Amino acid sequence: SMASLRDIRKHISSVKSIKQITYAMKMVAAARIKKAQNSILASRPFAREMDRMMADLYGELGEADLAGTAAGRLFAERPAGGPLCLVLVTADKGLCGSFNTNLLKAAAAWLRENRGRRIYVIVVGRKGRDFMKRLKGLDLEVAHEMVGIFPKAGYVHAQMLSDAILKVYDEKPVESVTLIYNEFKSMMAQRIVNTPLLPLKRHILTEGADQGRRAGQFAFEPAKAELLDALLPRHVGAQLYRTLLESQAAELAARMNAMEAASKNASELIEGLTLKMNKTRQSMITTELNEIVSGSEALGG
């Protein structure tokens, strides 16, 4: 009937306008992704070199020189059983496939593993913040939140994040800091990373062992311990900057793929509905013709 034809036309036009939006979102993500990828590539060597220098300095110094220094505090293992700190990096927006869901699943699994412990959470991105706010029945405190920084995350954000983490690490007797984020693997894939951030000892020593020692080539000015004190916050900042950039590129890639799939689905839906509309129209015409024929027969009879 005319009414069902009208409904199908309405449906087609609403799917078309959805398709325009998803396609536009895909193109915006595609335009931003190249820049985001280049930022990662630029930040990786710096972060790696920083790791290596830390390992060298730490290897030169040894425990005794570090005792009582700020650097010593970040390296030292802490007594087991204290509170824990989780740094979770999510997106501000949705419509990027399973990007946020996978992160929140990983965070939930981590929280389950550490049930019964006091937990301080530092959260980046609206999705993560809203998730943490909804959690009930856990001994959990959101110590710091950072929203609205993507897709323009800069080094200054990494420094603010680093300051927030070091503040919690200094003020609360947390045993360790764990970082959960999405790493950009390729345009098609993201990988959830769950990695210890502090204390630095294990992380730095394994990095240092991999790199092979190059000790004994430096004369230090100022003293080594002071140098390490000054460099450590920068080192943590560099690792976090890389984390934010990885997450940002991974989110854009995920959104691009999700919006491409949505646009494709919309196209298929439009095709199906158009076919249905044409069939409905044809059957209406056939019915009308039948009525005319049977009407004329009745007259002729």
Side-chain angles (χ1 to χ4, degrees):
S1 72
M2 208 54 212
S4 67
L5 205 58
R6 211 170 23 243
D7 287 343
I8 299 172
R9 278 206 191 100
K10 238 195 203 134
H11 197 169
I12 289 175
S13 85
S14 72
V15 176
K16 274 185 177 161
S17 51
I18 289 170
K19 186 184 160 186
Q20 280 175 333
I21 294 167
T22 57
Y23 183 74
M25 287 177 79
K26 175 197 151 182
M27 296 317 281
V28 168
R32 284 176 172 159
I33 189 100
K34 196 78 205 117
K35 194 172 169 201
Q37 266 178 292
N38 290 342
S39 305
I40 293 177
L41 294 176
S43 80
R44 275 177 187 165
F46 179 71
R48 258 201 299 268
E49 207 40 56
M50 202 68 163
D51 263 352
R52 194 135 117 222
M53 191 153 80
M54 289 293 138
D56 279 348
L57 275 170
Y58 184 73
E60 294 253 330
L61 279 164
E63 306 279 327
D65 305 329
L66 285 169
T69 64
R73 276 209 309 283
L74 293 186
F75 275 104
E77 297 279 339
R78 294 188 163 189
L84 297 170
C85 177
L86 172 65
V87 182
L88 174 64
V89 183
T90 63
D92 288 310
K93 298 188 178 86
L95 298 176
C96 42
S98 57
F99 180 90
N100 289 306
T101 321
N102 291 343
L103 281 168
L104 300 180
K105 270 189 195 149
W110 186 89
L111 290 170
R112 259 198 311 278
E113 264 168 49
N114 297 298
R115 187 175 282 273
R117 305 278 294 265
R118 172 108 178 103
I119 298 196
Y120 295 98
V121 178
I122 292 173
V123 68
V124 181
R126 267 190 197 91
K127 294 292 175 185
R129 180 197 62 187
D130 296 349
F131 172 74
M132 289 301 168
K133 290 240 162 90
R134 285 198 302 271
L135 289 178
K136 299 279 181 286
L138 291 172
D139 186 6
L140 182 143
E141 180 189 320
V142 176
H144 187 79
E145 58 179 59
M146 198 179 242
V147 296
I149 68 168
F150 300 117
K152 295 195 165 69
Y155 194 73
V156 64
H157 298 118
Q159 278 179 310
M160 284 156 67
L161 189 58
S162 172
D163 291 346
I165 293 168
L166 294 176
K167 186 170 187 279
V168 168
Y169 200 70
D170 278 340
E171 290 177 6
K172 324 280 186 199
V174 294
E175 183 189 325
S176 64
V177 179
T178 302
L179 181 60
I180 294 180
Y181 67 98
N182 251 322
E183 184 182 55
F184 175 81
K185 272 197 78 165
S186 72
M187 291 299 278
M188 300 314 288
Q190 304 88 46
R191 186 173 75 94
I192 295 273
V193 177
N194 177 336
T195 183
L197 185 68
L198 294 172
L200 284 170
K201 184 172 177 176
R202 254 164 306 173
H203 169 68
I204 291 288
L205 290 185
T206 51
E207 286 286 331
D210 296 345
Q211 309 285 358
R213 314 252 351 110
R214 306 170 306 179
Q217 304 165 358
F218 306 109
F220 288 94
E221 188 65 43
K224 287 176 201 168
E226 283 170 45
L227 183 62
L228 201 54
D229 268 358
L231 281 177
L232 268 176
R234 287 207 185 119
H235 165 74
V236 176
Q239 304 307 322
L240 290 167
Y241 181 45
R242 204 184 124 190
T243 298
L244 293 178
L245 294 178
E246 292 275 355
S247 182
Q248 174 166 284
E251 179 196 340
L252 287 169
R255 178 164 298 117
M256 198 176 111
N257 293 327
M259 292 301 104
E260 174 153 13
S263 303
K264 203 170 135 212
N265 289 346
S267 296
E268 284 170 13
L269 194 54
I270 290 166
E271 272 173 35
L273 285 166
T274 309
L275 201 66
K276 189 177 168 190
M277 180 174 76
N278 292 338
K279 277 191 177 149
T280 310
R281 236 199 343 243
Q282 278 161 358
S283 74
M284 278 167 67
I285 293 168
T286 312
T287 312
E288 274 175 33
L289 284 174
N290 282 341
E291 283 168 2
I292 293 169
V293 171
S294 55
S296 68
E297 275 174 2
L299 284 174

